[in-house]
């Protein structure tokens, strides 16, 4: 990672982390994306007894088709099964292409399965936590969401993904979406401190714009 960018990237990385205290929930929701670590974390939380049933949700988008050609949720399920999670503890929602759809279609799937949900562990990429929480609260407000992600230092996470530019672009994109999606009614508002906004602007000026949404 370029030394001149590190402080700004670290600032965004820590901004998106939510320090929720883990507790037992009715279900877990593993949000699809390019990071197979989400599936690994769901397995670890299941082994620790935080839930009995998990839903992996996600189809394919441009950033994941090469990694998960059969669909994000399908690959996540396969990873969980490889690591010993029982198939009876897993449901798959294979159609969602964005975070709002992840929540909406998971809610429909669980309702069809007769599963009553009052609380859910929302498992995501580390830097997706804040946006995922804001979206879930908007889409499914009657459920209490607890967010969790692998707790990795930034450098370790970048090594696990193997592409520093991808990680920085995703961080910048998620930071923009905190405000943009709240303005569009897709998520509840979140405070964006001035120093976070400034770091975001510097990274945009440095060319990390591949994951920005159009105004």
């Amino acid at each position: 990672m370029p030394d001149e960018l590190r402080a700004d990237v670290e600032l965004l990385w820590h901004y998106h982390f939510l320090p929720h205290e883990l507790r037992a929930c009715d279900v877990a929701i593993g949000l699809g994306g390019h990071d197979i670590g989400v599936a690994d974390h769901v397995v670890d939380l299941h082994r620790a007894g935080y839930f009995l049933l998990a839903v992996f949700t996600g189809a394919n988008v441009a950033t994941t088709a090469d990694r998960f050609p059969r669909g994000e949720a399908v690959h996540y399920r396969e990873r969980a099964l490889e690591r010993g999670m029982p198939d009876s503890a897993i449901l798959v929602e294979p159609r969602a292409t964005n975070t709002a759809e992840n929540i909406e279609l998971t809610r429909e799937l669980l309702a069809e399965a007769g599963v009553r949900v009052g609380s859910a562990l929302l498992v995501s990429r580390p830097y997706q936590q804040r946006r995922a929480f804001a979206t879930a609260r908007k889409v499914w407000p009657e459920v209490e969401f607890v967010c969790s992600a692998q707790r990795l230092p930034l450098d370790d996470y970048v090594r696990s993904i193997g592409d520093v530019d991808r990680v920085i672009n995703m961080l910048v994109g998620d930071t923009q979406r905190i405000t943009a999606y709240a303005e569009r009614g897709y998520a509840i508002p979140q405070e964006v401190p001035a120093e976070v906004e400034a770091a975001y602007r510097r990274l945009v000026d440095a060319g990390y714009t591949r994951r920005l949404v159009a105004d």
Side-chain angles (χ1 to χ4, degrees), residues 36-87:
I36 198 67
V38 172
D40 289 332
H41 195 50
V42 168
V43 173
D44 292 341
L45 293 172
H46 181 262
R47 287 177 178 170
Y50 286 107
F51 58 88
L52 297 177
L53 179 67
V55 178
F56 290 122
T57 168
N60 261 335
V61 294
T63 57
T64 64
D66 56 337
R67 289 179 179 236
F68 305 129
R70 294 187 301 283
E72 300 155 7
V74 171
H75 282 266
Y76 281 19
R77 171 185 173 273
E78 291 171 354
R79 177 62 163 249
L81 294 176
E82 289 171 2
R83 294 198 54 214
M85 190 167 170
D87 196 21

